[in-house]
Amino acid sequence: MNSVLWFHAPVILFFCLWVYALPGPCFNVSLMDFMETDTQRQLRDLMRKFATKTMLPQIDQDEREERFRPEWIRALGDLGLTGIVVSEDDGGAGLGYQEYISALEELAQVSAGYAISVAVTGLAQLILSRFGSQSQKSQWIRALAEGRAIGAFSLSEAGSGSDAASLRTTATRDGDFYVLHGTKQWVTQGDSADLILVMARTGGPGPLGISTFILEKGIPGFRLGKREKKMGCQVSHTMELVLDQVRIPAENRVGAEGDGFKVAMTALDSGRITIAAVALGVARGALDVAVRHAQHREQFGKPIGEFQGVSFLLADMAVQLKAAQLLVRHAASLRDQGAAFTQEAAMAKLFATDMAMKVTTDAVQVLGGSGYTQEFPVERWMREAKVLQIVEGTNQIQRLVIGKRLLEPLV
Ligand code: CAA
């Protein structure tokens, strides 16, 4: 067995390098080209160049070692890729979500973990630009847009995940300060973030008793709790945050007292489009590798792609991916036009992440035994796809959001 593997090792290695060194998708379906503008294509190319040259050779080892590299976020910032939707006045590119999703999709093909990292910093940018005071904006937005600062978003707690409005961390007013106390959970990059947008309770129970605060790194009383051991996206650390009587200036409150739940929901509407874009990237990578494999792997005297059992599987994967791309682009375009998009964002997130789970699982199937090994990226994409069905609202919550809006009375 070992000698067989050893014999095939150079072939396997060559195949992996060949697949990874790709300049773009290999399959014969024009998935996005018909809709993308030159700017979107340029952003995609820029992201692909950085991700394949700098990240790809290192990413598998970093995943194993759970190593996050803030310098890559800075490098993405230098390329203008961390502030795509931030206004030019604030140091961003002043573009829209359609450009943002093109770039995120591309990054996710190499690392869903870094794509999520960029998207979560995007949540912080969005909250500050939409609800922040002038001084909060001038202190943070340019730094976040340029990749010189990393942002995080902290809503969930052990007892309040899907039922976000039941959170228990308190923020008690004390003169010109608030004192924050409680434990937050599932905070993406809570350990590397320079600022964390924290939701805490300033009033009575339910959504109207919640406010949003800027928590800065290193403030007394704030410490990191456990780091979750996860099945995928290990470069992106998921943290527990312990707030032990943390005293923060009242001017760190973002928006009015009691607006925190709306702030969080507004940010998540947009965040769900970005998670859907990450799902597109993961699925596209998996389909790409599966198609190549089906073209070159021979069994029973011919490439396995010539068997309908395989080609039909690939056809279904491509159809699902294309449908998801259209849904995600539609949600992004509504957002860019300033139209309501809550329901479409939930639809895009639900469909694209379920699609990514299915497509990556089927890609493992097409590669057979090889697909289950770490020689090929498809098993990693399959693990990464799983979390996308959970983060920024489980897909059950997306159905709730969609169903609620469907049943709203017409006005
Ligand atoms: N935009 C603006 N306001 C909104 C809104 C939206 N999309 N959705 C709801 N609201 C407002 C409502 O209008 C309502 O205010 P009014 O009473 O003034 O009208 C208020 O918020 C309460 O709304 P609901 O009654 O609908 O609230 P609910 O308690 O039933 O919750 C929910 C709705 C959709 C289930 C919500 O709790 C939810 O989205 N849960 C999932 C939370 C989630 O996605 N968590 C993941 C966080 S990501 C993370 O933590 C990881 C990370 O690092 C990024």
Side-chain angles (χ1 to χ4, degrees), residues 120 123 153-156 161-165 185-189 207-208 261-263 265-266 268-269 272 342 390-394 397-398 400-401 404-405:
V120 168
L123 283 182
F153 173 87
S154 177
L155 175 65
S156 306
S162 292
D163 182 10
Q185 222 165 9
W186 310 107
V187 184
T188 303
Q189 60 200 12
L208 297 180
F261 192 74
K262 278 191 185 164
V263 169
M265 291 299 120
T266 304
L268 285 171
D269 280 345
R272 286 166 185 164
T342 297
I390 299 168
V391 288
E392 300 206 11
T394 64
I397 289 297
Q398 307 311 319
L400 207 104
V401 170
K404 191 170 176 178
R405 272 165 183 73

